[in-house]
Amino acid sequence: MFIILALFFALPQEYVNLVMNEQYDEALRYCEEMIQKNKDTYQWKIEKGDIYYSKLLDFQHAAEVYQDVVDNYKHKNGWAYYRLAQVLEIEEDYLNSARMYEIVATRFRKAPLDSFSLNGVERCFKKNYQDYVAVIDGYNITRLELDERTGRGGQFARPDEKAVLEQMITERLIFANAVKHGVIETEFFETNFLTRNRTLLLEEVRASEVIKRADPTEKQMKKYYKENKDKYIVREQVMGKEIVVESDTLAQFLFDSLSRDIASFDTLAKQYSTETSARNGGLMGIVYPGRKPANVDTVIFNTEVNTLTNVVPFDGKFGIYYITSHKPEQYREFDEVAKQIEAQVRTQNIEKEEEELNKRLRKKAKIRIYDDSIIAVLKDTTDQSKDVTIAEINGRKITWVQAVQRNDAMAPRFAKVDLSKPDKVEELLNIIFDEELRLELAWRNKYFLHDGYFMQFKDVMKTIMDQGLYQKVVLDAIVIDSAEVEKNYNEQIEEFKIPESARVHEILLDTKELAEKVHGEAIAKPEAFDSLAAEYSIGPTNIRGGETGLIRRGMMGEDYDKVLFSLGIGEISNVFSVKENTWTIIKMVEHYPEHYRSLDEVRHIIESRIKRQQQSELASSFLDRIREEADIQILLPEAEETSEPQTDSEE
């Protein structure tokens, strides 16, 4: 279980608030002032490096600060070395990173620092391994890395390692160009990383403070087993074979045969039994009390094992049963259900630890909710209410707009609260309080140094860098020319043709005589057509007064179209038939001639199509270009050609 990793002294709340409020320049100045005053110089230098590293992602400055600490405080503890090792690993200085990790692993053997550093040594070893399979602009891909990606030796190993290597080369080129194009400095990166990193930190806090504390002890598991033993009852059961027939005489004949030769049970069951079990020679499987009729249950649960029952009458049928196994009701042993209990106790412990963590963090927190401000904001819907402070936590303000934004980001969507009600606003604020306190804990205890977080952090950063590069060189470069849109529209005009269509009401009848009668009533009183449809029509549209919805030419067939599109608005057709044994009468309600959708109607469709095409072309050309510009050396050995076996004629 992890304890405090790097909390060597209590950080002042005013400083923590600067970090939590993303006032990083002010936080750096605070650190510098403390250093100048010679107050806990080591720790404030570390804090300065942490801001560069974890918050500003300025790895070069972070490395300089950590190197200074390592040079001047060699024997303080291993955390400065470890921080420097992580930053150097991110900066792809794997050789020096490995050296720092090794120093930590050999000189500062203290959990969890020792295991973290050993993992770092292993990662750097894979990059420092001298057997290269490719080199891209001086960046090495090693055989160990390729083997790990291909899953060599695993059940799902990919045989085409060259294709895997090509993918790794492409990924490297994309990442290197994202760095080159300054993606990390874009608003896109900042916005996306902030959200993802917040989630990572909350997950790491939960993993360390909740999940790891929730591992069940054997004492807890046995206590749970004792208190919930009734959950692990194995019901009384029998197993055996059955033959069920519908004749008492036949049943008695079969019973006599089985009494003489029980080995013939399977054959007789397949030949005579009417139950589905017959195909399996009468095998019933496991039978619990209540599965069979009451009088059958009484017999089979009171028959000795390896014994044939008498003929048992039930529900007009007659059964014969041979019991092969009978197990009384019993409790499953603890060892049998230990895994199940472990999962159940862990779930309980997690819920308990979640509550305990929130209580622990809130115990010393300073929380205030401004009820009057909440009520005022709910009454004032203008933009002026956005910046109203509705709560504070440890001196940090929470404004109305922050609460709204947090609610909008709630996942899943049905978890959102109704912000029109004060009690629901307070409910949301409590969620925000718990998250803020956990994030504050994450900074105080430096959870960004955890090995689990570090690995995800690198993956997330790489993913957002890749997405940011695509945004910058593809999406942002696309310009939609209105003339091109119009040209595309004219070239693809047939795609936007709307066939001739109509809205009608119909009456479907199953005899021509009745159809003629109803037709006469409809002609005499056209306004009653809907009522006649509801009364007489046998079609599913009768509940809507015969309304069919929009019918386009070709939907109902040529014969139907001839009648339909010859009608005028409000005109009623003659009785006609397009389906066997069905007679139809229709009334034209609306008629739309064939036409084309206007450019304004379909502009967004055309623009999206052009965008997709441009995106594909830009992305493809960009990849081709960066590949051409790169110095790529593929060092995989050529696959050996296998010679075809010679035939006798060739010898």
Side-chain angles (χ1 to χ4, degrees), residues 166-415:
E166 287 290 344
Q167 179 62 31
M168 294 174 74
I169 291 170
T170 300
E171 290 172 4
R172 174 59 194 176
L173 288 171
I174 291 172
F175 180 75
N177 276 273
V179 174
K180 179 180 176 181
H181 282 76
V183 170
I184 201 169
E185 298 169 2
T186 63
E187 184 179 348
F188 175 90
F189 182 90
E190 181 181 351
T191 302
N192 284 274
F193 181 79
L194 186 65
T195 302
R196 295 287 297 279
N197 191 50
R198 178 187 177 93
T199 301
L200 285 184
L201 285 170
L202 289 172
E203 288 174 352
E204 190 60 39
V205 171
R206 188 170 186 268
S208 300
E209 299 289 341
V210 175
I211 304 300
K212 289 189 178 296
R213 294 172 183 262
D215 287 341
T217 64
E218 186 173 357
K219 183 179 179 181
Q220 287 177 322
M221 290 169 62
K222 288 188 172 178
K223 181 174 182 286
Y224 183 90
Y225 175 72
K226 185 177 180 181
E227 293 175 350
N228 297 274
K229 205 170 180 181
D230 288 346
K231 292 182 179 179
Y232 308 109
I233 291 176
V234 179
R235 296 165 61 191
E236 183 182 13
Q237 59 180 254
V238 296
M239 294 180 69
K241 303 177 183 180
E242 65 182 352
I243 296 176
V244 177
V245 296
E246 297 179 353
S247 166
D248 185 13
T249 303
L250 177 57
Q252 195 59 51
F253 167 76
L254 293 170
F255 175 75
D256 292 341
S257 298
L258 291 168
S259 298
R260 293 190 300 272
D261 181 15
I262 194 65
S264 65
F265 202 108
D266 292 16
T267 302
L268 294 176
K270 290 178 180 178
Q271 186 174 357
Y272 293 105
S273 183
T274 59
E275 290 293 297
T276 54
S277 59
R279 69 186 67 175
N280 295 319
L283 284 174
M284 297 187 294
I286 297 174
V287 180
Y288 297 106
R291 291 280 181 88
K292 298 285 187 182
N295 50 336
V296 175
D297 263 8
T298 301
V299 172
I300 63 177
F301 281 98
N302 288 282
T303 297
E304 293 184 7
V305 173
N306 298 326
T307 302
L308 184 70
T309 71
N310 289 319
V311 175
V312 183
F314 68 95
D315 300 338
K317 300 178 182 179
F318 303 88
I320 307 168
Y321 303 89
Y322 183 71
I323 306 305
T324 58
S325 170
H326 182 187
K327 293 181 180 179
E329 181 178 273
Q330 57 187 330
Y331 291 101
R332 296 178 69 187
E333 295 295 329
F334 174 80
D335 291 342
E336 291 182 75
V337 294
K339 289 292 184 184
Q340 182 181 345
I341 291 174
E342 183 180 7
Q344 291 165 333
V345 174
R346 178 177 283 106
T347 299
Q348 288 185 352
N349 287 353
I350 287 173
E351 292 177 3
K352 179 183 175 184
E353 291 297 337
E354 290 276 15
E355 293 177 5
E356 287 298 320
L357 175 60
N358 291 339
K359 287 179 183 177
R360 212 160 56 236
L361 294 176
R362 284 190 178 227
K363 189 173 182 180
K364 294 183 179 180
K366 295 178 180 178
I367 295 173
R368 296 181 66 182
I369 295 176
Y370 300 114
D371 295 322
D372 292 344
S373 297
I374 293 172
I375 293 170
V377 165
L378 294 179
K379 290 180 179 178
D380 181 7
T381 57
T382 65
D383 286 345
Q384 292 180 349
S385 64
K386 290 193 307 182
D387 297 325
V388 171
T389 299
I390 58 174
E392 284 189 21
I393 179 164
N394 287 345
R396 299 191 297 277
K397 295 179 179 180
I398 298 173
T399 64
W400 173 249
V401 70
Q402 288 174 322
V404 171
Q405 289 171 348
R406 178 63 187 88
N407 195 46
D408 289 341
M410 197 79 76
R413 296 187 67 84
F414 58 75

Side-chain angles (χ1 to χ4, degrees), residues 435-497:
E435 287 185 353
E436 281 292 309
L437 290 172
R438 291 187 182 205
L439 290 168
E440 183 173 328
L441 178 71
W443 179 253
R444 288 182 178 277
N445 285 11
K446 310 304 180 187
Y447 281 110
F448 64 87
L449 297 175
H450 284 204
D451 194 60
Y453 168 87
F454 180 67
M455 294 302 294
Q456 292 187 76
F457 164 79
K458 290 198 302 178
D459 288 342
V460 164
M461 191 170 72
K462 182 179 179 301
T463 298
I464 300 174
M465 290 281 278
D466 293 354
Q467 293 170 347
L469 180 65
Y470 188 81
Q471 179 73 39
K472 191 168 187 178
V473 303
V474 176
L475 298 183
D476 291 349
I478 291 175
V479 177
I480 305 297
D481 184 357
S482 59
E484 184 180 0
V485 173
E486 187 172 351
K487 179 184 176 185
N488 186 284
Y489 172 75
N490 292 328
E491 290 175 349
Q492 306 294 330
I493 189 68
E494 290 301 313
E495 182 182 336
F496 306 114
K497 180 190 287 185

Side-chain angles (χ1 to χ4, degrees), residues 524-541:
K525 202 172 182 180
E527 67 275 9
F529 195 96
D530 296 5
S531 301
L532 292 170
E535 182 178 353
Y536 291 105
S537 182
I538 60 172
T541 58

